[in-house]
Amino acid sequence: MSQIVTADRDGIRILTLDNPPVNALSFALSAELLPLVRAAEDDANVRAVIFSGANGIFSGGADVNDFATEPTPETKTIRDVIAAIERGKKTYVAAIDGNALGGGLELSLACDYRIATTRSKVGLPEIKLGLLPGAGGTQRLPRLIGAQAAMQMMLKGESVAADEAKKRGVLDEVVEGNVVDAAFGLACRALEKEPKRRLSQRQAELGIPGLTANALPFVAAQAHKMVPPEDNGGFAAHKLIDAVEAAVELPFGRGIAREARLFDELVRSAPSAALRHVFFAERELGKIPGLPAAEPMKIERAGVVGGGLMGTGIAITFANAGIPVTVVEPSDEATERGKQMVFGMYMNQVQKGRMTQEEAWKRGQSVVYTDDYAELADCDVVIEAVFENMDVKKGVFKKLDGIVKPSAILATNTSTLDVDEMAAVTQRPEQFLGLHFFAPANIMQLLEIVRGKRTSPQTLATAIALGKTLRKKGVVSGNEFGFIGNRMLFDYSREAMALAEEGVPPYRIDAVMKDFGFAMGPFAMFDLSGLDVFWHIQQAKTEMKGRSNIVDRMYREKRIGQKSGKGFYRYEKGNREPIRDEEAEKILAEEAAAAGIAPREAGDDEIRKRLVYALVNVGADLLARGVALRPGDIDIVYVYGYGFPPHHGGPMWYADEVGVKSVYDDVLRFQKEFGDQWRPAPLLAEIAQSGGTFAAYTSKELVHA
Ligand code: T1G
């Protein structure tokens, strides 16, 4: 099936990329496009060539799937097409409508002119895949907008709106209406004035006022300091900086060769494979094997019961998606606090220039507070975010059930309570599920969509579609204690506490996990979320109690973390920076001794393995029991909800990276040394013994009651 549509118009050849859904510049498309460029070059009647995109997009870049296969010498890639343009004699114009990202923008940078519609966005997001632009972007963009601006744009991997891109010099023109027509006019004018202006002919300037190119080594050195270490998420960033240096220092041809070598090193690297896994795993989330086809319901009005931090964060999330939301909050004080949070958040966006005053006003006005449940009557979905107590939540749902319209969906934001038990107090269990947001709900991208035994396919489909509308990573979870993320966090926390009881100071455990790539170690996280939360869970679930009474003791001594100025760390007033606290370590040692736990040495390797493999072992169990559908779903939960380093792909991807057999052997060793809490999940054992991987695991079909 052809992926390029060719048309001629008064001697100008229009080549339209047509490879739905995003006109990915696959090896196959490149193999088709290359001879068409050559044919245009050989055709004396062709005066100029315009590239455009079908499917409402110019191109989402190279086909990321292709990177999993080693190209052969015969393989044609977008680099070959761009090289043919570079050598060509014709005038080339890129007519951009929609996204032009990665190789898509690189194709347009090889052209003499770039014109786009106002709705378009352009960018080189390769860094997010652990790559750098490998089709000339690191050499051409610096020649177009200066090395500094180009480096910043590529290091951020940002998508830039058309008007801003024009301001920066990336685009020549921005138009309303039909961009191919406009490109045709531009080509005609160019042919009169300046038919060729290949970027390769330019010298890349540093682009910093007052500094000449000989300041480049200093600028590059500064840039290297600003990005993460190569072995902790910065692998691609450092190479990208090297490539941009080459753009300034080397002739174009040598710069292109340097870029290709750096790209080829990155595309074969483990961090890039992990980031590409995350890219695709995110896009798998909404595909539920076994879910009967069901048209999602339209969600035009939302309700939230409970206007605390969580409820207001959820309300802002709806407002940001353009869905009016009514918050039921009985307390005037909480209502005032909530309104201040909404107002403050939007004013902050305006001050940062991220939002116009009118947009902020419109969104702020779309969040309405009331103490009257009756105002939720015509909501399409109502989410409760009240105190984490089953009786309180049941009371809310009994009330809602009699007020909201028959088609409305009811959802609980609970993090650990039984969704089915709440559904059972309503007359609409088919329209009931869990929507577990993560605080702060308007910032955290993860959403666990917890299906009850009787949640209908339409309700589940509606929740999945709603998650996308709210720009969340919506992961479907079964209704088990802690769902996916928190259930895994409990074992992760158990091991962190156990190590601390064995005498490893919290700061060291946190340092090891930050070295691994977590944004925050477990003890800093306990202090942030508050040990009181942990204590309440332990009261509800005694099996969560550790071997010692450390949590009780800390709770009793009001060492509940940041909110009390001390926890496992201490905190200076107004400062959230954790400071090592020997007092807390003394309490740990006392409680461990009281529990008869002998101190023991633990190396960094053991610390990392015990915390990460606890996640893998529970993850395997959740997969086997169908609580999580796919290993990739678990990875997305942990990367987006708990700060697992994306360059390790998530717990299950990491287990494959290390080798499942090796993980299994360590789990067996831990079971022998520390006890049966380390019993290997049967699926972990099965995969290890068969020499398989989690990546090859095929999801169970979703079982519907
Ligand atoms: N390759 C392969 N598949 C892609 C793809 C890509 N580049 N981009 C999207 N898809 C698939 C995606 O998996 C999903 O598949 C469908 O398209 C819709 O995607 C040489 C090395 C373009 C803004 O990083 O940012 O060029 O689930 O749900 O919300 O230097 O996709 O339907 O089966 O995201 O409308 C660089 C990645 C590549 C851009 C559209 N480019 N894509 O968003 O749809 S590397 C990127 C996006 C490169 C060169 C380098 C977004 C989008 P399925 P979607 P969307």
Side-chain angles (χ1 to χ4, degrees):
M1 154 74 164
S2 168
Q3 296 179 356
I4 312 288
V5 178
T6 302
D8 279 343
R9 185 170 153 188
D10 191 13
I12 291 178
R13 177 141 307 157
I14 301 163
L15 298 175
T16 301
L17 311 174
D18 185 5
N19 175 20
V22 299
N23 302 336
L25 303 171
S26 60
F27 292 160
L29 181 143
S30 304
E32 189 181 343
L33 184 55
L34 182 57
L36 293 172
V37 169
R38 286 179 178 149
E41 282 293 326
D42 296 344
D43 186 334
N45 297 322
V46 171
R47 301 184 294 145
V49 177
I50 292 173
F51 291 110
S52 72
N55 311 305
I57 181 170
F58 184 73
S59 171
D63 188 326
V64 182
N65 295 293
D66 286 343
F67 299 142
T69 51
E70 192 67 31
T72 65
E74 293 69 48
T75 307
K76 295 304 170 212
T77 74
I78 191 61
R79 278 181 185 163
D80 298 303
V81 174
I82 287 173
I85 295 168
E86 185 56 43
R87 288 191 301 273
K89 304 277 176 293
K90 308 287 182 180
T91 294
Y92 288 86
V93 179
I96 297 167
D97 186 21
N99 282 296
L101 299 174
L105 179 57
E106 290 176 291
L107 175 59
S108 74
L109 290 172
C111 296
D112 301 288
Y113 296 88
R114 287 155 291 283
I115 182 169
T117 56
T118 47
R119 75 184 192 104
S120 298
K121 287 189 175 177
V122 298
L124 295 174
E126 287 85 342
I127 194 104
K128 295 178 180 171
L129 298 169
L131 300 169
L132 51 74
T138 66
Q139 305 304 305
R140 289 190 173 89
L141 192 61
R143 283 173 168 78
L144 184 60
I145 65 173
Q148 176 68 357
M151 182 159 62
Q152 292 312 319
M153 186 169 157
M154 291 187 282
L155 284 173
K156 285 186 203 145
E158 58 181 334
S159 282
V160 180
D163 287 338
E164 173 59 21
K166 180 160 185 308
K167 257 192 239 142
R168 295 190 195 184
V170 180
L171 298 172
D172 298 297
E173 285 184 30
V174 175
V175 295
E176 300 280 358
N178 184 304
V179 70
V180 174
D181 290 346
F184 181 79
L186 191 157
C188 295
R189 293 192 300 277
L191 287 165
E192 298 304 313
K193 273 190 326 200
E194 189 186 3
K196 271 184 74 172
R197 45 174 217 170
R198 300 286 204 276
L199 289 172
S200 58
Q201 305 310 307
R202 291 190 197 179
Q203 170 56 38
E205 301 305 328
L206 192 51
I208 302 175
L211 290 180
T212 62
N214 55 28
L216 177 72
F218 169 75
V219 171
Q222 286 305 96
H224 280 295
K225 283 194 200 118
M226 305 292 282
V227 296
E230 287 218 5
D231 62 356
N232 199 345
F235 193 44
H238 289 281
K239 304 232 173 295
L240 195 151
I241 296 165
D242 293 346
V244 173
E245 265 198 284
V248 177
E249 284 174 344
L250 301 179
F252 183 77
R254 287 184 52 206
I256 286 284
R258 170 79 62 85
E259 174 196 88
R261 185 172 52 71
L262 293 168
F263 175 85
D264 291 347
E265 194 180 336
L266 288 172
V267 78
R268 294 188 181 91
S269 72
S272 181
L275 287 163
R276 297 188 320 252
H277 157 66
V278 170
F279 173 83
F280 286 118
E282 278 178 39
R283 289 160 176 82
E284 280 303 295
L285 293 175
K287 299 171 189 167
I288 310 300
L291 179 67
E295 189 54 34
M297 248 177 63
K298 266 183 83 57
I299 302 289
E300 291 171 319
R301 279 194 60 77
V304 176
V305 177
L309 194 63
M310 184 52 97
T312 300
I314 294 170
I316 291 172
T317 304
F318 276 98
N320 288 342
I323 299 173
V325 51
T326 301
V327 181
V328 168
E329 172 49 60
S331 130
D332 291 344
E333 192 201 334
T335 296
E336 206 34 52
R337 260 203 317 275
K339 286 180 175 174
Q340 283 308 323
M341 184 175 149
V342 173
F343 179 80
M345 207 280 300
Y346 283 125
M347 281 305 107
N348 186 275
Q349 294 294 307
V350 174
Q351 275 145 18
K352 286 183 181 162
R354 290 194 191 136
M355 197 180 283
T356 60
Q357 185 89 28
E358 46 281 358
E359 179 59 24
W361 181 251
K362 199 169 114 226
R363 289 191 188 180
Q365 290 302 303
S366 72
V367 181
V368 172
Y369 280 79
T370 175
D371 60 1
D372 181 2
Y373 271 71
E375 294 196 26
L376 301 178
D378 70 342
C379 290
D380 300 302
V381 62
V382 179
I383 301 166
E384 66 76 19
V386 296
F387 184 59
E388 189 73 352
N389 169 287
M390 183 55 89
D391 293 338
V392 172
K393 291 184 187 293
K394 283 180 175 175
V396 166
F397 285 117
K398 279 183 192 141
K399 212 166 166 182
L400 284 173
D401 204 26
I403 291 171
V404 300
K405 59 189 181 184
S407 63
I409 288 172
L410 297 180
T412 171
N413 175 57
T414 187
S415 53
T416 55
L417 300 176
D418 184 334
V419 169
D420 289 327
E421 191 178 334
M422 289 180 224
V425 304
T426 74
Q427 306 303 313
R428 61 182 84 204
E430 297 77 14
Q431 289 155 236
F432 193 100
L433 43 57
L435 288 178
H436 178 215
F437 291 83
F438 287 71
N442 53 305
I443 307 284
M444 294 294 283
Q445 295 186 67
L446 180 63
L447 171 68
E448 283 181 322
I449 300 170
V450 187
R451 55 190 170 83
K453 279 197 179 56
R454 298 182 57 190
T455 302
S456 72
Q458 188 189 33
T459 300
L460 189 56
T462 303
I464 291 167
L466 176 62
K468 285 186 180 153
T469 306
L470 298 177
R471 286 192 290 281
K472 296 292 180 186
K473 312 291 179 199
V475 182
V476 172
S477 167
N479 173 37
E480 295 268 328
F481 176 63
F483 311 137
I484 298 171
N486 280 345
R487 178 62 197 81
M488 293 169 70
L489 175 68
F490 296 141
D491 282 42
Y492 176 86
S493 310
R494 178 200 73 214
E495 286 309 301
M497 289 290 189
L499 281 157
E501 289 165 340
E502 291 159 23
V504 184
Y507 80 90
R508 207 182 122 223
I509 297 167
D510 282 5
V512 167
M513 297 321 286
K514 284 181 75 171
D515 273 356
F516 177 68
F518 274 89
M520 184 182 279
F523 291 93
M525 180 192 62
F526 295 147
D527 277 2
L528 175 67
S529 46
L531 216 66
D532 47 339
V533 174
F534 207 72
W535 183 83
H536 279 293
I537 291 170
Q538 281 193 346
Q539 305 312 305
K541 287 272 172 189
T542 48
E543 69 268 32
M544 291 299 305
K545 275 189 174 306
R547 299 177 292 176
S548 76
N549 290 323
I550 182 64
V551 174
D552 281 337
R553 168 93 181 264
M554 299 279 276
Y555 183 72
R556 268 200 326 275
E557 295 193 8
K558 301 211 179 333
R559 280 182 161 275
I560 56 174
Q562 284 191 21
K563 43 190 158 183
S564 64
K566 58 184 181 182
F568 288 102
Y569 295 94
R570 62 185 176 76
Y571 300 85
E572 303 293 344
K573 199 154 180 48
N575 191 330
R576 304 160 71 96
E577 189 56 33
I579 302 167
R580 181 178 179 182
D581 184 348
E582 276 82 359
E583 187 49 37
E585 291 169 21
K586 202 158 125 307
I587 293 172
L588 270 162
E590 285 165 8
E591 290 304 325
I597 299 166
R600 61 183 286 282
E601 284 305 311
D604 290 2
D605 230 23
E606 177 188 321
I607 293 169
R608 188 189 68 254
K609 285 181 177 180
R610 281 175 64 177
L611 269 72
V612 175
Y613 294 0
L615 296 176
V616 176
N617 202 29
V618 175
D621 184 46
L622 293 174
L623 278 174
R625 289 190 293 119
V627 178
L629 284 171
R630 288 163 288 243
D633 289 25
I634 292 175
D635 289 335
I636 294 301
V637 166
Y638 241 77
V639 163
Y640 282 101
Y642 298 80
F644 195 95
H647 61 273
H648 283 308
M652 311 317 280
W653 180 270
Y654 181 67
D656 284 351
E657 207 176 75
V658 167
V660 178
K661 178 76 171 58
S662 161
V663 173
Y664 175 63
D665 291 345
D666 280 320
V667 168
L668 285 174
R669 187 164 57 84
F670 294 153
Q671 181 184 20
K672 216 178 264 104
E673 181 159 3
F674 304 114
D676 244 14
Q677 70 275 22
W678 275 104
R679 187 179 333 101
L683 180 61
L684 175 67
E686 182 193 321
I687 293 177
Q689 286 151 3
S690 66
T693 61
F694 282 107
Y697 174 83
T698 40
S699 156
K700 284 179 172 336
E701 295 270 304
L702 192 68
V703 178
H704 256 274

